[in-house]
Amino acid sequence: MNTFQRNESKETLFAFISAGDGPPRGDFPVQKKSPKLCGSNYPLSIAFIVVNEFCERFSYYGMRAVLTLYFLSFFHWDENLSTAVYHAFSALCYFTPVIGAIVADSWLGKYKTIIYLSIVYVVGHLIKSVGAIPSIGNQAVHVILSMVGLFLIALGTGGIKPCVSAFGGDQFEEEHTSERSKFFSIFYLSINAGSLISTFVTPVLRGDVKCFGEDCYALAFGVPAALMVLALGE
């Protein structure tokens, strides 16, 4: 290559740079930014995630607040059996997050895992509520429906537990670290608020409202089921 050719190559490269162009780099998809909440740096989707978590925690702790009384007064189990089943259910709820994490990481991803297991969660609540209606079947039918419902609830609540907070954090762009930190504070506030309110509300629904001539466990379980349906809709 002579001197003239070398100078021409340099001028061509300088022309690319000065025009704001560069060498061809291939076609890359442009990532669209998610809509923001009220003009802030908070993604709009996190509002739905926070409401979803409030409803989910309300449904879980609201149901669990009257569960032992349900065993004692509706099934007429003794205290030992009622306590054993209650703790077995609680233990299962804390074991199933392992399943949810495996499904999300190796198969469905966080979003689909949340959706599918939330459907399982809703079905479990509905079966549990139906099992608390005295006019449906005999004692054996009530026990079977309640145990199936509790199993599905444990699978749903545990399965989505490792996914929801991480999915919420994924909604933020890398540079919005302070907003992400505040989101987690609000997120855990919604968890505690839902848990606290439900612990007061569902015992009132059970004791102060009468249905079928006795304490209304169907309503006490039905309201958390309705909140979980709302959470799924969010």
Side-chain angles (χ1 to χ4, degrees), residues 20-218:
D21 299 327
R25 301 190 182 189
D27 295 329
F28 295 96
V30 178
Q31 186 177 4
K32 294 182 179 179
K33 294 185 178 181
S34 59
K36 302 301 182 182
L37 186 63
C38 299
S40 65
N41 290 325
Y42 294 92
L44 180 61
S45 56
I46 67 166
F48 298 99
I49 294 173
V50 170
V51 174
N52 175 286
E53 189 65 15
F54 174 86
C55 295
E56 189 275 324
R57 289 290 87 185
F58 187 104
S59 68
Y60 173 74
Y61 281 99
M63 179 276 302
R64 208 178 73 164
V66 296
L67 188 58
T68 303
L69 291 175
Y70 176 67
F71 294 151
L72 291 170
S73 62
F74 193 85
F75 289 163
H76 304 290
W77 288 351
D78 59 36
E79 291 185 4
N80 291 333
L81 179 58
S82 300
T83 302
V85 175
Y86 175 85
H87 287 295
F89 167 71
S90 299
L92 185 60
C93 290
Y94 285 101
F95 172 76
T96 49
V98 177
I99 299 175
I102 294 173
V103 171
D105 288 343
S106 61
W107 184 22
L108 294 177
K110 289 188 283 291
Y111 179 75
K112 289 184 178 180
T113 300
I114 293 171
I115 294 297
Y116 294 156
L117 290 182
S118 292
I119 294 173
V120 172
Y121 200 168
V122 168
V123 172
H125 268 296
L126 294 177
I127 293 175
K128 186 75 179 65
S129 301
V130 171
I133 300 176
S135 59
I136 295 180
N138 54 20
Q139 179 80 355
V141 173
H142 295 152
V143 172
I144 291 173
L145 288 176
S146 296
M147 294 303 106
V148 171
L150 287 176
F151 175 79
L152 294 178
I153 290 171
L155 182 60
T157 187
I160 67 175
K161 191 183 295 292
C163 303
V164 178
S165 60
F167 182 70
D170 289 344
Q171 305 306 303
F172 291 87
E173 298 167 12
E174 291 297 328
E175 63 268 21
H176 298 150
T177 55
S178 62
E179 286 84 357
R180 184 188 292 115
S181 177
K182 291 178 182 178
F183 158 73
F184 283 115
S185 298
I186 298 172
F187 179 81
Y188 289 111
L189 175 63
S190 71
I191 291 177
N192 293 320
S195 306
L196 178 64
I197 295 173
S198 66
T199 303
F200 288 104
V201 171
T202 50
V204 171
L205 295 176
R206 177 201 65 85
D208 293 358
V209 180
K210 301 296 180 182
C211 57
F212 308 103
E214 56 187 53
D215 290 345
C216 198
Y217 286 100

